[in-house]
Each structure stands twice: as C-alpha cells, then as structure tokens.
Amino acid sequence: MDQDDSIFLAGHRGLVGSAILRKLQSDGFTRVLTRPRTELDLTNSRAVDQFFAQEKPAIVVLAAAKVGGIKANNELPVEFLLANLQIQNNLIRAAYEQGARKLLFLGSSCIYPKFAPQPIPESALLGGPLEPTNEAYAVAKIAGIKLCQAYAHEYGANFISVMPTNLYGPNDNFDLATSHVLAALLRKAHDAKEAGARALVVWGSGTPRREFLHVDDLAAACVFLLQNYDSPEIINVGTGKDVSIRELAELISEIVGFEGELSWDASQPDGTPRKLLDISKIESLGWRPQISLREGIVRTYDWFRAGK
Ligand code: GDP
C-alpha cells in the first residue's frame, strides 16, 4: 500500500472507522476517501456502484456495520442481519468489480462458537453453535468472511478479514440501551458518582470473561495488516488477556472514583461465558498491542468527560 493510494474508508464516523481514519492520517496517507451516510447510503447497491465507478478506490476498508451490545443484538435480529448483509455485499462486490487492489473486512470475535476453545484460535470458526444473543450479527459477519474468501479463491482478489475482540475507546456508543459493557459501565459509574448514588447496577452475574482492546490498537493493527498480510484466512486481533465483568466493573469504579457498591441485575443475560482470542498469528507477524486496559480506560474516560 502506497501513501498516495486512494483508500475508501467506509464507516469513518464509528468507533473503529474514526480510529482507522486518525491512524491513516497520522501515518501520512493523503488520499483517504470518506462519505457521510447522508451522501452515500451503503445499504443501497445502486448508490454504492455509482460511487465505486466514479472513484475507483485502490484500497477499501470496510468498517461500516450496524453494531450494538448484548441487548440490542438480542432484540433486533432482523435489523442486524439485513443491514450488515446489505452493506458488506454491496461494498465487497463493488470493490471487486471496480478493480480494488485490496479490501479489509472487519469481523468480530462473536463469529466464533459459544463454547470455542479458549483462547480462541482462528481455526475455531464454524466448529459449533453460536452464542444466541448475537447470532444474527455473527451470521452476517461470517457471510462477509466467506464472501471475501470466495472472491479470493474464485477470482484471486486480495480481500482480507480481521477479527477484533471487544473494542472500546473514543467515539464509542455510551447509550445504555445499545452500548457494549465497557462504555455502559463508564457512563453508569460516572453518573452514579455525580449523583452520589450508593449502588452501580451491573447486568448479569459478573462471572463472564471478556477481552478488551483499545480501538487505537485495532487501527494500528489494521494498517499493519493492510501492509503486511495478504491471505484470505481470517486473523484475530486482541490483547491476549481477559477480565471478568466483575473485575472490569471494579477497575472502572476505581478509575472514575465511584466508591459505592456494585449491584447485580440477574434479569439481564450473561451472554457467552468467555471470549478471549488467540493472537499468536498476528504476534508471529510482529504486531503487538500497546495500550494497557487501565491506560485505555483512563483515556476513554477523559474523552467522555471532555464531551460532557
Ligand atoms: P457481548 O460481549 O456480546 O456479550 O456484549 P456486551 O459488551 O454488551 O456484554 C458483555 C457482558 O457484560 C455481558 O455478560 C453483559 O451482561 C455484561 N454487562 C454488565 N453490565 C452491562 C451493561 O450495563 N451493559 C452491557 N451492554 N453489558 C453489561
């Protein structure tokens, strides 16, 4: 990838896309193309075809997706399936038809079976049933991986698929109904502290374990893989370390300065018991995350407060 290649970054306003945009810009890539949703509806195949015919980007980064936490995923399977299938089908096909040299598709660690071996190697894909609370999203992402691989096998396209673990950072979604756990707990701890509340309500039992990667680390990994990875086989990106939801809630309380108690809402689902990625493949290529969980939460909390 050259610094003057035209790069279409789909989803540049989201958590992942905005981080990739910052990274591409700071690394000196001068021709990054972006389009706000009001100008280009990625679920509209005609509009996508027209855009690609006109711009013919050399590189495509597919960071656009309909995403959400455990509750939204569980309650809106139709929307998660349809929007994600439409966006990725339109972009992957148009990228091939208009001659893109490389495409990076972003998947998710929820594509792996609910009871996959831990840490989860890339080979676990399709080895068992999925976690039901995010099955619709996962099925769409698996279809995206398979479409990229199909273009690679059938037509020789250089379309790669990257599987990030649970992400957090600036531009995360802090809406309690649709957010993921880290952003939700930051907001709840902040609000509880401000209100002088005695308890912070955490969903589920606190025993599920999750791995959290700062989105700036993911962005660095994506740019690294655009430059150093040309295989259709999926590749994991994570930290290689996980924490329980209880440990996460305690760490966030400490960073925010909330001194009350944690209370557990057992009416909300736990989801998959553990999700930790095996990152030995990307490590063997020479990439490692740089931002510790504590440092990343401190930075994200600073960002959250600055926007208040
Ligand atoms: P998941 O990784 O797909 O399960 O998605 P989430 O990040 O939404 O949830 C991870 C875990 O955190 C689940 O066990 C949730 O029950 C738990 N959790 C605890 N409190 C919250 C909260 O306030 N919001 C969310 N989204 N999850 C929470």
Side-chain angles (χ1 to χ4, degrees):
M1 190 167 67
D2 300 321
Q3 291 207 312
D4 60 354
D5 272 334
S6 62
I7 305 172
F8 176 47
L9 173 57
H12 70 288
R13 291 210 169 138
L15 170 67
V16 172
S18 61
I20 294 177
L21 183 59
R22 290 193 296 277
K23 177 67 179 159
L24 287 170
Q25 287 171 337
S26 76
D27 283 3
F29 291 91
T30 51
R31 295 178 60 204
V32 184
L33 291 168
T34 59
R35 286 291 181 280
R37 192 175 302 190
T38 47
E39 274 177 43
L40 177 60
D41 175 1
L42 298 172
T43 65
N44 178 335
S45 65
R46 258 193 221 170
V48 170
D49 283 347
Q50 242 171 22
F51 170 78
F52 271 77
Q54 206 169 13
E55 300 292 343
K56 296 194 184 302
I59 311 287
V60 176
V61 178
L62 212 175
K66 180 168 177 62
V67 298
I70 193 165
K71 189 176 165 72
N73 257 289
N74 203 16
E75 292 174 359
L76 302 168
V78 172
E79 288 71 16
F80 276 81
L81 253 176
L82 276 185
N84 287 307
L85 287 171
Q86 286 170 336
I87 292 169
Q88 69 206 30
N89 286 348
N90 291 343
L91 287 168
I92 294 168
R93 185 184 46 73
Y96 175 71
E97 289 178 358
Q98 296 299 333
R101 233 173 46 234
K102 187 160 186 174
L103 176 142
L104 185 152
F105 175 66
L106 276 146
S108 160
S109 57
C110 70
I111 57 145
Y112 291 116
K114 176 170 181 141
F115 297 111
Q118 305 284 332
I120 311 172
E122 287 86 354
S123 60
L125 179 62
L126 291 175
L130 297 164
E131 156 59 34
T133 52
N134 51 32
E135 190 180 62
Y137 180 75
V139 165
K141 288 292 182 185
I142 293 170
I145 295 167
K146 291 294 167 188
L147 188 58
C148 287
Q149 292 178 339
Y151 270 109
H153 293 138
E154 198 175 328
Y155 298 118
N158 187 4
F159 289 180
I160 67 170
S161 299
V162 176
M163 298 310 116
T165 193
N166 288 30
L167 301 168
Y168 69 98
N171 295 322
D172 206 344
N173 168 15
F174 286 87
D175 174 73
L176 293 182
T178 53
S179 61
H180 285 95
V181 60
L182 195 147
L185 293 183
L186 260 182
R187 154 157 258 154
K188 286 185 190 174
H190 176 82
D191 290 351
K193 182 186 159 192
E194 297 281 289
R198 289 178 55 192
L200 191 174
V201 179
V202 189
W203 294 355
S205 64
T207 57
R209 299 186 68 84
R210 294 288 184 276
E211 177 187 19
F212 296 96
L213 179 72
H214 191 282
V215 74
D216 286 349
D217 270 334
L218 174 69
C222 287
V223 174
F224 174 84
L225 293 167
L226 280 167
Q227 289 165 318
N228 297 290
Y229 188 72
D230 293 317
S231 161
E233 296 306 319
I234 62 175
I235 184 160
N236 289 341
V237 185
T239 62
K241 293 181 206 121
D242 63 353
V243 292
S244 70
I245 298 301
R246 176 185 292 278
E247 287 162 345
L248 178 72
E250 287 168 356
L251 178 59
I252 287 176
S253 298
E254 185 201 320
I255 289 169
V256 168
F258 167 71
E259 289 173 350
E261 287 168 7
L262 302 178
S263 86
W264 301 93
D265 178 358
S267 71
Q268 295 289 348
D270 267 344
T272 199
R274 190 175 185 205
K275 221 179 344 178
L276 172 65
L277 293 181
D278 179 340
I279 57 164
S280 49
K281 184 165 164 180
I282 192 168
E283 279 185 333
S284 73
L285 298 175
W287 183 85
R288 258 175 206 79
Q290 305 293 326
I291 306 168
S292 72
L293 182 58
R294 176 180 291 273
E295 164 69 17
I297 294 174
V298 168
R299 283 204 218 170
T300 307
Y301 187 45
D302 287 345
W303 181 88
F304 174 76
R305 270 187 306 183
K308 289 233 124 207

